[in-house]
Amino acid sequence: MNKKITIYSENPFYDKSLKTRHMKATIFKMVTLSSLLFSLGFLIFFLSDIVIKGLPAFQQTYIQVDVTYNEKTVKSTRKAVNKEYRRLVSRSWLRTIPQQVIDNPNLMNTKIKLWILADDQVDQYLKGHHHNLKPKYIQSVDNLVKNNATKLRFNIIFFTRGDSKIPEYAGIKSAVIGSILTLIVTMVVAFPIAVMTAIYLEEFAADNLWTQFIEININNLAAIPSILFGLLGLAVFINLFGLPRSSPLVGGLTLAIMTLPIIIISSRAALRSVPDNIRQAGYGLGLTKIQVVKDHVFPLAFPGVMTGSIIGLAQAMGETAPLIIIGMVAFIPDSPNSIMQAATVMPAQIFTWAGMPERAYVEKTAAGIMVLLTILISLNAMAIYLRKKFEVKW
Amino acid sequence: MLFKTSRNQYTENILKLLLIIAATISIITTFAILFSIIFEAIEFFEMRSFWYFITGTEWSPGIEDSKFGAVPIFAGTFMITIIAMLIAVPIGLCSAIYMSEYASHTIRNLLKPMLEILAGIPTVVYGFFAALTIAPLIVELCEYFNLEASFNSALACGIVMGIMIIPVISSLSDDVIRAVPDSQRRASLALGMNMGETIVAVVLPAAMPGIISATLLGLSKALGETMIVVMAAGLRANLTWNPLDDMTTVTVRIVDALVGDHAFDSPDTLSAFALGLVLFVVTLLLNVISLTLIRKFKQKYKVNTL
């Protein structure tokens, strides 16, 4: 150790501050690394938090109780179940009793043991979450558990039903259909306009003030807060044109305007990456400008255009703020079947559920988020895959 | 072939016209947004004083003697945005530095998609997370230190919003830092500077316009962010310096004014457009400055990839 120091001190080029300088550099590197790790750590914490909250929602409690079918219970369905268990079964299931008797008249005047969807409070109690069950009902639930008369089943209702004020009967189906209708409108409107704008700006427009103005405009549109598009949708599409409020048509148009700049910017980048000699060769063979673009440049840029469109689609799918403004957060129990009907979309459904007071909606919200994130991440993965697969090195 | 030329010319012109019309739509959109907001805002200012709107400290819509002084709303927006930027700028910038300067090719290819996932998460999801996980966490932490925090604290919103903006800042900064020519790094290293010194003294100053541009873009995103604050921030227009207190923002008030069942021409509803106008003007200004800076940077280093 001593020897080393003497060597250094004899060396005329030895910089005494070198050690601290290197230490500082190492610390700097560690700081940058740790901030990156922080972001990733947050991502993991965040995703696991959502999954832990949402996973229980994919299973639902069913309880086995005796159900009596007779004149009296068809009229007042509450009485179909023994008093002790009356509050434990789902109210929405009881409501289906008259329909069950109509569908199957043999049921009349019978008493059978059935597996019935449990009330959300029972569900939450058995999953160990916060619940408002009264002590006497807790007693009867415990009895059921003792007799093996409770079980968890896969929650099919969540995927096959629309929204409901009864938590155990609420599903995401109408929101998914609303999302699909809205996004179809969005893409039908945004894709052609965006691609045409990109082609014009990249292939035809001269670099003059007007073009620069359009360019600045598009870049600026991409950065405008999304809620302002909602104000536009409300003022123009609903108040001026009189289109129906809460409809996928208005939502789709509003999102289309928002998605336009995203698709334009990525399509332009794709067109720009097509080398000029392709165009020169086309002109050399006597093709017109339109022919060169249509038959040669655009097909080569198409994978890039698709990637940009998918990313734009994913963004439109997760957008909520402008849709709240135009009223797409309404309570929609039935799936819409046209673009003029009132509808809701997945993120708006998540927002609605997040505001519900019942604890059961927390897991529904998280489960809805899991469904939405799965779709979004697969869309993005598809975009990345397309980019990798069709990427051409010129 | 010659006789087809005139027909070709004809279709050519029509197609070209179509392309021009498509390109003009973006301009129409911007002006449509501007005018639809301005007209309604003017209607609002015909009913209520503009001066009180920008200097008044009481915001109480919906009651008989309603008052529209937006100062507490601006203060809340400001507070939440500052908290968000305090988190997003250092972390986003440092992540970008690590990814562009230190990380190997493999690690970079692994990390970049992760940050892209973070960027692709819908804001409503962040809002749920802020309201149900971070806000209660902050309340508990504060109880531990004998402080009183609101369940709608500005701090919780700010933290989650900051995390939301990290990828905005890091991805743009990453591109900018990578665009700084390698010759500058090599020159610095050849003079005996180590890697850390080179980054601080050479690379970052060169990339500064781009980094400022990324920050401004993040700032404009924070100001206009809606879902996180609608779900996790308060509704009450509260003028305070305490980040643990509940505060409201411009976007929260816009949403609140428009989801209710008010008549469209009442000042309660129209106040949303007045707030929207302020938001539009401020974000437009930030965006234009940001875009000009990045353009200058591009011209200086002759890069096309940004």
Side-chain angles (χ1 to χ4, degrees):
Chain A
M1 200 64 201
N2 226 346
K3 206 174 164 191
K4 227 178 183 177
I5 292 169
T6 43
I7 292 172
Y8 278 148
S9 54
E10 277 164 17
N11 186 346
F13 294 108
Y14 176 65
D15 177 4
K16 279 188 189 123
S17 64
L18 202 58
K19 212 171 163 187
T20 38
R21 283 176 53 203
H22 281 326
M23 208 171 71
K24 273 185 189 161
T26 319
I27 292 173
F28 181 71
K29 186 178 171 180
M30 286 305 135
V31 168
T32 57
L33 178 60
S34 55
S35 63
L36 188 60
L37 290 179
F38 171 84
S39 328
L40 294 181
F42 171 81
L43 185 64
I44 292 166
F45 170 55
F46 167 76
L47 289 179
S48 49
D49 181 63
I50 298 284
V51 170
I52 288 168
K53 281 207 175 92
L55 220 44
F58 291 107
Q59 291 203 309
Q60 247 177 338
T61 309
Y62 283 74
I63 53 176
Q64 195 179 32
V65 288
D66 290 322
V67 185
T68 327
Y69 291 94
N70 57 34
E71 295 272 330
K72 218 164 84 188
T73 59
V74 168
K75 256 189 210 133
S76 130
T77 52
R78 291 179 57 233
K79 294 190 176 134
V81 179
N82 203 337
K83 202 174 175 191
E84 187 187 357
Y85 302 123
R86 198 166 285 162
R87 284 296 194 82
L88 305 185
V89 298
S90 169
R91 273 180 294 153
S92 47
W93 186 85
L94 290 176
R95 279 182 202 163
T96 63
I97 287 181
Q99 189 58 43
Q100 287 177 38
V101 175
I102 293 170
D103 289 345
N104 185 1
N106 295 337
L107 276 176
M108 207 61 179
N109 297 321
T110 54
K111 186 173 182 180
I112 24 178
K113 238 179 176 22
L114 279 179
W115 283 102
I116 300 173
L117 183 63
D119 189 72
D120 63 303
Q121 296 293 348
V122 178
D123 189 49
Q124 293 300 306
Y125 170 67
L126 288 175
K127 283 174 185 167
H129 297 153
H130 175 80
H131 61 92
N132 298 329
L133 272 184
K134 291 199 182 112
K136 64 171 177 179
Y137 292 122
I138 292 180
Q139 190 67 41
S140 22
V141 174
D142 288 342
N143 280 340
L144 284 173
V145 175
K146 223 179 279 165
N147 300 332
N148 270 336
T150 60
K151 67 174 170 190
L152 284 172
R153 277 193 202 164
F154 178 69
N155 185 356
I156 192 90
I157 291 173
F158 186 71
F159 296 100
T160 54
R161 298 202 68 94
D163 196 7
S164 170
K165 297 275 189 230
I166 299 169
E168 68 269 19
Y169 236 51
I172 202 166
K173 189 183 159 207
S174 58
V176 171
I177 292 183
S179 266
I180 292 172
L181 287 175
T182 308
L183 291 174
I184 287 175
V185 175
T186 303
M187 287 325 268
V188 165
V189 175
F191 184 76
I193 296 180
V195 170
M196 274 156 65
T197 307
I199 290 178
Y200 175 74
L201 288 177
E202 210 47 52
E203 305 288 332
F204 291 91
D207 190 20
N208 54 23
L209 270 177
W210 175 243
T211 317
Q212 276 181 25
F213 182 61
I214 298 181
E215 254 194 86
I216 291 174
N217 221 308
I218 289 168
N219 285 327
N220 179 46
L221 263 187
I224 281 183
S226 61
I227 190 171
L228 295 178
F229 291 99
L231 290 182
L232 167 81
L234 180 68
V236 175
F237 298 135
I238 296 178
N239 282 344
L240 198 65
F241 295 164
L243 295 175
R245 215 176 127 91
S246 315
S247 65
L249 179 63
V250 174
L253 285 174
T254 310
L255 289 182
I257 292 173
M258 233 187 68
T259 322
L260 266 180
I262 303 169
I263 306 182
I264 293 175
I265 290 169
S266 53
S267 302
R268 286 190 68 184
L271 287 166
R272 208 178 303 141
S273 69
V274 176
D276 243 1
N277 48 23
I278 302 269
R279 297 181 186 90
Q280 310 288 8
Y283 298 143
L285 290 170
L287 298 181
T288 62
K289 201 153 190 176
I290 290 271
Q291 284 168 329
V292 168
V293 172
K294 189 177 70 165
D295 298 335
H296 299 278
V297 179
F298 186 65
L300 287 169
F302 192 67
V305 173
M306 276 317 284
T307 309
S309 308
I310 294 173
I311 289 171
L313 181 74
Q315 244 179 60
M317 192 169 207
E319 197 54 66
T320 329
L323 300 180
I324 292 183
I325 301 290
I326 57 165
M328 284 188 91
V329 280
F331 172 66
I332 311 287
D334 300 313
S335 313
N337 34 30
S338 88
I339 54 168
M340 302 300 267
Q341 276 177 343
T344 189
V345 292
M346 274 190 277
Q349 184 70 74
I350 289 168
F351 173 66
T352 319
W353 281 344
M356 291 285 198
E358 289 97 339
R359 177 63 176 73
Y361 281 111
V362 172
E363 57 175 46
K364 294 260 184 240
T365 314
I369 288 173
M370 283 168 72
V371 173
L372 181 65
L373 282 185
T374 313
I375 299 174
L376 289 183
I377 290 174
S378 21
L379 274 178
N380 280 316
M382 199 161 87
I384 292 172
Y385 171 78
L386 270 177
R387 189 165 62 198
K388 282 255 150 56
K389 176 153 187 196
F390 292 101
E391 200 172 44
V392 188
K393 288 265 173 351
W394 298 98
Chain B
M1 284 300 273
L2 270 176
F3 57 88
K4 281 183 93 178
T5 315
S6 66
R7 208 182 124 234
N8 273 345
Q9 201 69 47
Y10 182 67
T11 40
E12 193 110 326
N13 282 340
I14 288 201
L15 280 173
K16 208 170 160 185
L17 191 70
L18 272 178
L19 293 178
I20 293 176
I21 291 172
T24 331
I25 286 180
S26 74
I27 309 244
I28 298 174
T29 314
T30 312
F31 281 96
I33 293 183
L34 188 61
F35 285 122
S36 62
I37 295 173
I38 282 184
F39 282 139
E40 313 288 353
I42 285 175
E43 216 174 305
F44 174 75
F45 289 125
E46 273 168 5
M47 287 189 260
R48 296 303 156 102
S49 120
F50 175 72
W51 187 243
Y52 189 77
F53 178 74
I54 53 169
T55 57
T57 56
E58 197 183 326
W59 184 277
S60 54
I63 54 174
E64 200 157 311
D65 183 28
S66 56
K67 280 188 175 151
F68 295 95
V71 170
I73 298 177
F74 296 149
T77 312
F78 203 61
M79 173 73 90
I80 292 175
T81 307
I82 283 186
I83 296 170
M85 295 316 278
L86 283 179
I87 288 175
V89 173
I91 293 178
L93 185 56
C94 285
S95 307
I97 292 172
Y98 187 84
M99 281 216 297
S100 52
E101 298 291 318
Y102 291 115
S104 69
H105 199 69
T106 356
I107 294 180
R108 202 187 132 76
N109 278 350
L110 215 75
L111 291 179
K112 192 115 189 175
M114 297 265 193
L115 278 179
E116 276 172 17
I117 291 180
L118 207 56
I121 293 173
T123 52
V124 65
V125 178
Y126 282 114
F128 174 74
F129 184 70
L132 268 99
T133 306
I134 300 292
L137 208 70
I138 284 175
V139 172
E140 263 175 50
L141 264 179
C142 287
E143 262 170 21
Y144 186 75
F145 293 109
N146 282 329
L147 288 165
E148 200 179 320
S150 156
F151 271 99
N152 295 325
S153 64
L155 188 62
C157 292
I159 290 175
V160 176
M161 198 188 275
I163 288 165
M164 186 201 86
I165 296 169
I166 289 174
V168 177
I169 292 181
S170 75
S171 91
L172 193 56
S173 305
D174 179 43
D175 290 343
V176 170
I177 292 171
R178 279 159 64 85
V180 174
D182 245 0
S183 54
Q184 298 205 358
R185 287 185 195 90
R186 290 203 194 114
S188 161
L189 291 173
L191 288 171
M193 304 243 267
N194 62 32
M195 198 61 187
E197 289 163 341
T198 303
I199 294 169
V200 175
V202 177
V203 179
L204 287 187
M208 201 40 89
I211 292 169
I212 293 173
S213 160
T215 310
L216 292 179
L217 214 60
L219 187 65
S220 121
K221 228 181 152 128
L223 288 173
E225 173 44 43
T226 312
M227 292 321 293
I228 294 176
V229 282
V230 166
M231 292 167 86
L235 269 175
R236 187 164 58 109
N238 185 8
L239 194 58
T240 169
W241 286 108
N242 181 3
L244 298 175
D245 218 343
D246 63 320
M247 293 180 97
T248 195
T249 71
V250 171
T251 46
V252 172
R253 295 309 320 188
I254 293 177
V255 169
D256 187 57
L258 292 174
V259 277
D261 288 328
H262 314 290
F264 192 78
D265 48 1
S266 73
D268 289 353
T269 312
L270 290 174
S271 68
F273 288 89
L275 290 171
L277 184 63
V278 175
L279 188 61
F280 183 82
V281 170
V282 172
T283 50
L284 185 75
L285 223 67
L286 287 173
N287 295 343
V288 168
I289 298 173
S290 163
L291 290 173
T292 325
L293 280 174
I294 202 94
R295 230 177 132 90
K296 287 239 170 83
F297 179 84
K298 272 204 263 186
Q299 280 164 356
K300 190 170 170 193
Y301 293 107
K302 300 195 174 51
V303 282
N304 296 319
T305 48
L306 288 177

